[in-house]
Amino acid sequence: MFERPEGIENCRIWIDGCFDFAHHGHAGAMLQARQLGKELYVGVHSDEEILANKGPCVMRLDERMTAVDACKWSTKAIPDAPYVTDPKVMDEYGCKYVVHGDDITTDANGEDTYQTVKDLGKFVVVKRTPNISTTDLVGRMLLMSKNHHYPDLNLDKNWQKLVNEGDNLDRFTRYATDETGLKPGSVVYVNTPQELKLIVAPKATTDSDSTKYVYIDGGFDLFHPGHIEVLRLVHQRAQQLGAKVIVGIHDDLTVNKYKGLNYPIMNIFERSLCVLQCRFVDGIVLNAPYEPTKEFLGRIGNVIKVYHGPTEVDETVYDGVRGEGKGEEAKGMFETLPKHKYDHMSTEFIVDRVLQNKAVYVERQKKKGWKAEMEKVLEANERNKKQQE
């Protein structure tokens, strides 16, 4: 019913949404939309529009805009996009088609938010990313569940499961593509006790032996503006040094050891896709050690700098890459990044937002359930209409 139109590859594409939490489902939609056309404009709904049609959002508009801007497949983020997609707004930005997942989104009245553009033949369907949504993540916070965590990735059977389970390898490969979504881009490694294993190869370069790298590691849970701003600063420094940015991502057991409770809220597969989609990243290392050593960094290649954000960390963690003596000599390869506009933000900060408004978000979850039932009816009607054509 919504076939991909001829010549769409030469068009500017529109996609819109709440983009509450920068999870890999949002990135997957932007990736597929970007693959269809030459540019991607992303409409981001206002806090007020989301509240009226869906319930309260966790992340503020400026925070959600920061996340969309950081996605490498987004050409431009548009704030205050209407909740019900308006072809006039699309025309204003020169977008011929709107892309959305193969599910139905409804407004406060239970009506399809894309019905107008569907009727105009401007609607194109892509596959919705399964098993992840803002609703799922809020649910994990409210229920304090841990069954989404991966077991010890230092065991061969477990890291192989992470890489090869279901369509995981295909997802790693797709999220590692360049800004067009069509060509190889970022590199993906998994760190094992024996070696650094290449999972997804980067785009080919002629001088790979002389490539310089900078490194930063962390949990990157609920990938948020604090993470994004740190990666932007690292990317900025890497460009000045003529280097590429490699991000080490700690496994679920390590994050849980230091954070406790049911952290991480996102498992390592989900967190790694969030980092991979970021335009400031050239590669990732799954199961990165909590304490980076020169031996480990040597596995990556010529790492010239190791960074850490302005958040507090045990000083001994980076002893292996810290220099000796005083002044500049004491820094060695290691450098702490300066404070930034989102340095107050952390995973715990976001979870606190949800838990402090628990009653409101429980009601939001119920409302989402009611909307889901309405959306199932509309989807069934749409399938029947398609069969009759």
Side-chain angles (χ1 to χ4, degrees), residues 290 308-318 322 334:
Y290 191 70
H308 188 268
T311 54
E312 289 185 13
V313 66
D314 187 331
E315 287 188 6
T316 63
V317 170
Y318 293 98
R322 205 187 300 270
F334 179 71

Side-chain angles (χ1 to χ4, degrees), residues 215 217 289-294 296-297 306 317-321:
Y215 178 80
D217 58 12
Y290 191 70
E291 298 183 11
T293 62
K294 289 183 179 178
F296 161 72
L297 297 172
V306 175
V317 170
Y318 293 98
D319 277 356
V321 292

